[in-house]
Amino acid sequence: MKNDPHPKSATSQVVLGLLVIAMGLLFLLDNLGFVDMHRAFSFWPMLFVIVGTVKLCDTRTQGGTLLGGGLVGIGILLMLDRMDIIDFSWRTIWPLVLIGLGGFLVAKAVRSKRAVEHGVAMADGVAVGAGEVVDVTAILGAYERRVTTQDFRGGEITAVMGGCELDMRGASIRGEAVINVFAFWGGVTIKCPPDWDVVLQGTPILGGFEEKTIAPPDSSKRLVIRGYAIMGGVEIRN
């Protein structure tokens, strides 16, 4: 697959860096007596806005866009409620979450059906065979998938308050493949063959990336792992 300089990943890192700087400035102003951070902590729903924004900047799939937009929307609604602009509660959120999850599942099912009918999937605008590109999402649940294609091209894995396990020990790579991961209050486990060279480029935020692989004899097959682990974990092993 073509490996561009991943501008969207760079954009998400810039956005995340600016948000962290803003939080640092707030704590500094609190120490100097200009603001009261005790009141600022009441705006904890900003966490959903931050996480959703990072996801929107880092995703390349429609499912990732829907998830990021949903997290941002929930955060904004809760913020407006905290500011007494609207009356909003968790009792209102849960039905919206169910509606959004149902819409996401329907959209994903339609895309999968079209891919099966045409016998191809799309990766960066290029047609590829089924199984060569993964798009795995687990929300409040667990997802396990085995990939055996001999021309793996990469893909995207998302775990939100759930877990994803991708078993690729029977697969192969022609050159390099990139997987974008996003773990928020969840975990991702990737199993790969011993002849793959794993390169971690992830960003842990109150979470962790862990590699438990054996160094291959050469780097002819490279698997690059990018993305974020926010209060979650990503493990790669063979």
Side-chain angles (χ1 to χ4, degrees):
M1 66 182 297
K2 294 188 296 182
N3 296 297
D4 53 14
H6 53 91
K8 294 197 74 174
S9 179
T11 301
S12 65
Q13 291 181 7
V14 171
V15 171
L16 182 61
L18 292 175
L19 292 172
V20 172
I21 290 174
M23 292 180 63
L25 289 174
L26 285 175
F27 281 109
L28 177 61
L29 293 174
D30 175 62
N31 291 334
L32 296 176
F34 290 104
V35 298
D36 184 5
M37 282 301 294
H38 293 290
R39 177 175 174 79
F41 276 123
S42 64
F43 294 99
W44 60 266
M46 277 296 295
L47 175 64
F48 287 96
V49 178
I50 294 173
V51 173
T53 301
V54 171
K55 180 61 179 176
L56 285 174
C57 294
D58 200 47
T59 187
R60 297 187 178 186
T61 65
Q62 292 182 349
T65 301
L66 289 174
L67 175 61
L71 291 173
V72 171
I74 290 174
I76 291 176
L77 290 174
L78 289 174
M79 286 286 294
L80 294 175
D81 176 67
R82 290 279 175 169
M83 299 170 66
D84 294 327
I85 297 178
I86 62 173
D87 186 14
F88 198 72
S89 66
W90 285 104
R91 293 183 60 185
T92 309
I93 288 181
W94 283 115
L96 293 177
V97 170
L98 291 176
I99 292 172
L101 181 59
F104 170 76
L105 293 175
V106 170
K108 193 168 185 177
V110 171
R111 291 201 313 271
S112 299
K113 182 179 179 181
R114 291 177 179 175
V116 170
E117 289 175 350
H118 292 84
V120 298
M122 301 300 294
D124 294 335
V126 180
V128 297
E132 296 178 3
V133 175
V134 297
D135 182 9
V136 177
T137 302
I139 303 176
L140 297 174
Y143 192 111
E144 296 183 8
R145 179 173 177 181
R146 178 174 296 177
V147 177
T148 58
T149 178
Q150 298 304 297
D151 187 17
F152 181 68
R153 305 289 186 91
E156 188 168 319
I157 303 176
T158 302
V160 178
M161 291 180 282
C164 291
E165 180 177 311
L166 187 65
D167 188 350
M168 298 186 295
R169 289 174 294 181
S172 184
I173 294 176
R174 297 178 182 178
E176 180 179 292
V178 179
I179 297 180
N180 290 304
V181 299
F182 183 82
F184 176 49
W185 286 342
V188 175
T189 300
I190 300 174
K191 302 176 182 178
C192 58
D195 61 340
W196 288 12
D197 182 23
V198 177
V199 180
L200 283 181
Q201 298 178 353
T203 302
I205 304 172
L206 299 178
F209 280 81
E210 186 174 8
E211 179 188 351
K212 297 180 178 179
T213 62
I214 301 173
D218 56 62
S219 301
S220 59
K221 300 178 181 180
R222 299 177 73 246
L223 177 65
V224 181
I225 307 295
R226 298 172 181 158
Y228 298 88
I230 305 174
M231 291 179 283
V234 177
E235 180 184 84
I236 304 93
R237 53 192 174 93
N238 56 14

